[in-house]
C-alpha cells in the first residue's frame, strides 16, 4: 500500500525552501517536538522553522502541520497558524506557546486546543510522517474565525496560496 501524501490533494503552486534547526527534511523529530509524556523529553514544543524564496507578491504566511499516517480518516492536524506578517521569515522553537509573531492566529488542533500539539504516534504503529507546510498568501489577513478548525483554514488557503514550502519530519514509538 502506498503512503498517503496530503500535498497531492492541494492545488499545484510553486515551491520555496523551508528548513528547521530541529530536524532535517525526512529526518526524525527531536523529543521536544513530541507530545508531553509521549517520550522522555516530550514537551509539545513547535519546531523552529525558517523560509526563503517565496514570491514577491506574498502578503502573509500560514503554517500547517499534519500527520497523514494517523489511524483516522484523512489527516491529524497538529498545528495551524495564519496571518503571519510577510516580514517574518521564521518562527523560533516553541513559538506556538512562547509567542508567535504579532497578529498571528493559531487555530485549534485535533485535540481541540489552540496552537501546536506534539507528535504521539500510537505505540507500535510504525513511523509517522509530519508534513510541515509554509503557505505564501496573496492577502495580508486571511479571514477565518478565531474558533475555526484547521479544515476551514485548509479551504481558505486554496484560493489564496501563491506558493508552498514543505519539510517533513518523522516520529515513531516502538513497542517496549
Amino acid at each position: 500500500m502506498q503512503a498517503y501524501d496530503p500535498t497531492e490533494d492541494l492545488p499545484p503552486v510553486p515551491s520555496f525552501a523551508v528548513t528547521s534547526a530541529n530536524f532535517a527534511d525526512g529526518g526524525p523529530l527531536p523529543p521536544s517536538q513530541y507530545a508531553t509524556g509521549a517520550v522522555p523529553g516530550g514537551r509539545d514544543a513547535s519546531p523552529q522553522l525558517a523560509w526563503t524564496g517565496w514570491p514577491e507578491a506574498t502578503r502573509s504566511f500560514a503554517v500547517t502541520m499534519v500527520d497523514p499516517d494517523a489511524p483516522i480518516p484523512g489527516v491529524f492536524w497538529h498545528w495551524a497558524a495564519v496571518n503571519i506578517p510577510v516580514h517574518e521569515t521564521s518562527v523560533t522553537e516553541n513559538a506556538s506557546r512562547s509567542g508567535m509573531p504579532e497578529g498571528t492566529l493559531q487555530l485549534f488542533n485535533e485535540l481541540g486546543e489552540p496552537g501546536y500539539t506534539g507528535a504521539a504516534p500510537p505505540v507500535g504503529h510504525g513511523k509517522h510522517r509530519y508534513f510541515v507546510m509554509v503557505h505564501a498568501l496573496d492577502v495580508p489577513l486571511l479571514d477565518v474565525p478565531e474558533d475555526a478548525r484547521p479544515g476551514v483554514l485548509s479551504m481558505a488557503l486554496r484560493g489564496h496560496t501563491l506558493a508552498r514550502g514543505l519539510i517533513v519530519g518523522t516520529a515513531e514509538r516502538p513497542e517496549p
Side-chain angles (χ1 to χ4, degrees):
M1 182 167 117
Q2 188 173 9
Y4 171 60
D5 179 347
T7 64
E8 290 177 357
D9 293 335
L10 300 174
V13 293
S15 64
F16 58 92
V18 176
T19 58
S20 178
N22 299 118
F23 64 97
D25 188 32
L29 297 174
S32 61
Q33 261 86 76
Y34 279 74
T36 301
V39 298
R43 59 185 181 93
D44 287 301
S46 56
Q48 182 278 338
L49 300 171
W51 50 90
T52 59
W54 59 89
E56 241 181 80
T58 300
R59 305 283 307 278
S60 68
F61 297 100
V63 173
T64 59
M65 180 175 174
V66 299
D67 172 2
D69 303 317
I72 62 170
V75 297
F76 187 98
W77 285 86
H78 284 266
W79 196 16
V82 64
N83 300 336
I84 300 169
V86 71
H87 62 272
E88 300 290 346
T89 60
S90 65
V91 292
T92 60
E93 182 177 18
N94 202 34
S96 177
R97 296 212 178 358
S98 65
M100 290 291 285
E102 188 174 341
T104 300
L105 171 62
Q106 293 191 88
L107 301 178
F108 292 98
N109 56 46
E110 288 292 341
L111 301 181
E113 304 164 346
Y116 177 86
T117 187
V123 172
H125 197 256
K127 189 182 294 186
H128 283 219
R129 297 162 300 143
Y130 295 81
F131 285 66
V132 181
M133 291 175 263
V134 177
H135 311 261
L137 307 179
D138 65 357
V139 292
L141 296 173
L142 196 58
D143 188 21
V144 292
E146 287 187 23
D147 61 350
R149 295 294 175 160
V152 172
L153 174 62
S154 180
M155 293 301 292
L157 289 173
R158 289 182 172 272
H160 293 285
T161 300
L162 298 171
R164 184 180 309 109
L166 170 68
I167 185 170
V168 179
T170 63
E172 182 174 14
R173 295 192 310 161
E175 297 280 351

